[in-house]
Amino acid sequence: MNFRPISVCDYAILKPFFSGHPYSLSVYSPASIISWSYKAFKADYAIENGELFIAGQTEDRQENRHLILPLSKEKSYTPSELHDVARRAGFNRYWYAPGDYLEKFDCSELEAIFILEEQEGFGDYIYLTEDLINLKGNRFSKKRNLIHQFSREYIVKDRVKVEVILPGNVEECLQFLEIWCEQHSCDVDQESNLACEKNAAITTLKNMSLLESKGLQIRVDGRISAFGIGSQLSKTTASLNFEKADPEIKGLYQFLDNECAKRLFSGFLYVNKESDMNIPNLAESKKSYNPIHYIKSHSLTLR
């Protein structure tokens, strides 16, 4: 296969292949593939016989060289077909095989030709949109309380503005992202998940229209102190791709999350908040919103 590097300009070429695919992990969206193509997650693609193949190619870590599951407008792949594709393309493993997709196949058939391993930290958290909007019941009492505290201190005193992210204020969002990343040491290791996420957020902010992403920013006392960016994953599901807020402002994260649910995702049944990247505090936060489902990610290594 003739693989070539993925760039933002390829969005229109890639998008049709992601329509109606059977994979539920958030990585299976053109916006995600493009924005996360950086260093440890660098992506290439090839189109052959109307099918899309995406590879993770890293110079420094050959052991991480992989394919993701192929995308086709016409078919869904069986385990044996996946095995054949990988051999033909010169790869010996897949990453990001969704657990709910693998459950469709006989376990013995899969294990006869692949070594299956869960990729901890790369599974996705799925929520009912109405839960994130309404925050009803005892399960969400702490979230409601934090939003009320934020409201009393900031909203009631007219210190807050919620705005759509437009091209004219992207630079302010980028400046806030730099501050957030300094606080969280994103740049200490350029191949860390946080460093890669920072680059993905920068790519998305600079190309929101082209990537069909939508976002909200929150100003507190005139300064951008939080932003959230989402995109469509399927007809029923949206992804909350990035969510950053000043951790010193109590209740701001909870307020941002609720506003994103109301303003960005109200037309979708589900919201996919993506993975926790094996970051304990992030995992705890995602679990605290009571996901209705957790989709495991697996690697498939050819036997």
Side-chain angles (χ1 to χ4, degrees):
M1 295 181 189
N2 184 24
F3 284 94
R4 55 177 289 183
I6 280 178
S7 74
V8 173
C9 298
D10 295 315
Y11 181 83
I13 297 172
L14 301 179
K15 180 184 174 182
F17 293 95
F18 289 84
S19 177
H21 67 71
Y23 313 134
S24 50
L25 288 175
S26 57
V27 68
Y28 290 94
S29 80
S32 179
I33 290 291
I34 289 170
S35 64
W36 279 88
S37 182
Y38 172 74
K39 291 186 181 286
F41 297 91
K42 192 167 181 58
D44 296 341
Y45 78 97
I47 297 173
E48 186 177 278
N49 299 323
E51 298 170 357
L52 175 65
F53 305 93
I54 294 175
Q57 308 268 25
T58 57
E59 294 180 3
D60 298 335
R61 298 183 180 179
Q62 288 299 306
E63 70 275 13
N64 288 342
R65 191 169 175 268
H66 65 275
L67 294 170
I68 69 170
L69 300 187
L71 292 127
S72 171
K73 303 172 188 177
E74 306 294 337
K75 61 179 291 185
S76 181
Y77 289 81
T78 66
S80 61
E81 287 172 330
L82 290 175
H83 194 278
D84 291 344
V85 165
R87 282 204 179 282
R88 183 160 52 85
F91 289 78
N92 69 350
R93 68 177 58 84
Y94 289 95
W95 279 10
Y96 313 124
D100 55 351
Y101 176 75
L102 297 180
E103 288 171 2
K104 299 176 182 179
F105 302 105
D106 183 82
C107 186
S108 60
E109 180 186 4
L110 280 166
E111 293 183 347
I113 54 178
F114 292 112
I115 299 170
L116 277 69
E117 294 181 281
E118 182 181 349
Q119 294 177 289
E120 295 185 4
F122 291 96
D124 283 357
Y125 295 81
I126 311 299
Y127 308 80
L128 282 173
T129 308
E130 65 180 43
D131 283 348
L132 302 182
I133 291 174
N134 299 318
L135 299 175
K136 288 183 177 180
N138 293 333
R139 297 178 303 157
F140 295 103
S141 60
K142 290 183 179 179
K143 307 298 182 188
R144 294 196 305 272
N145 183 49
L146 286 165
I147 292 173
H148 289 156
Q149 291 182 58
F150 176 79
S151 179
R152 286 196 302 268
E153 180 61 30
Y154 297 97
I155 297 176
V156 172
K157 298 177 182 179
D158 198 28
R159 300 172 62 186
V160 175
K161 284 188 178 180
V162 181
E163 303 167 330
V164 173
I165 298 177
L166 298 173
N169 46 46
V170 163
E171 188 57 39
E172 288 181 274
C173 289
L174 291 171
Q175 291 171 4
F176 169 70
L177 179 63
E178 285 293 337
I179 294 170
W180 190 95
C181 282
E182 286 178 11
Q183 294 171 330
H184 294 80
S185 303
C186 295
D187 296 325
V188 171
D189 177 359
Q190 286 299 307
E191 292 194 357
S192 70
N193 287 331
L194 280 178
C196 292
E197 186 197 33
K198 175 187 175 181
N199 185 78
I202 291 171
T203 299
T204 301
L205 281 164
K206 290 182 175 180
N207 299 279
M208 289 188 64
S209 178
L210 187 58
L211 297 178
E212 298 183 298
S213 298
K214 297 181 179 180
L216 293 180
Q217 62 185 29
I218 297 176
R219 294 184 186 272
V220 177
D221 297 331
R223 299 178 62 181
I224 291 180
S225 300
F227 68 78
I229 300 174
S231 59
Q232 182 172 340
L233 183 60
S234 69
K235 290 182 179 180
T236 60
T237 306
S239 288
L240 180 56
N241 305 119
F242 306 101
E243 188 176 34
K244 303 298 178 191
D246 185 341
E248 299 300 317
I249 301 178
K250 191 172 185 179
L252 178 55
Y253 259 113
Q254 291 74 24
F255 177 74
L256 170 65
D257 196 271
N258 189 237
E259 288 296 303
C260 286
K262 292 174 180 176
R263 300 180 186 231
L264 300 181
F265 307 137
S266 61
F268 296 92
L269 182 60
Y270 306 107
V271 175
N272 182 324
K273 285 195 179 184
E274 304 194 345
S275 68
D276 58 42
M277 299 186 291
N278 268 335
I279 300 173
N281 289 344
L282 185 56
E284 182 180 348
S285 173
K286 290 181 185 288
K287 291 173 184 175
S288 73
Y289 273 94
N290 302 290
I292 61 165
H293 190 40
Y294 177 76
I295 302 169
K296 293 181 179 180
S297 177
H298 295 82
S299 66
L300 307 177
T301 303
L302 276 64
R303 291 190 184 276

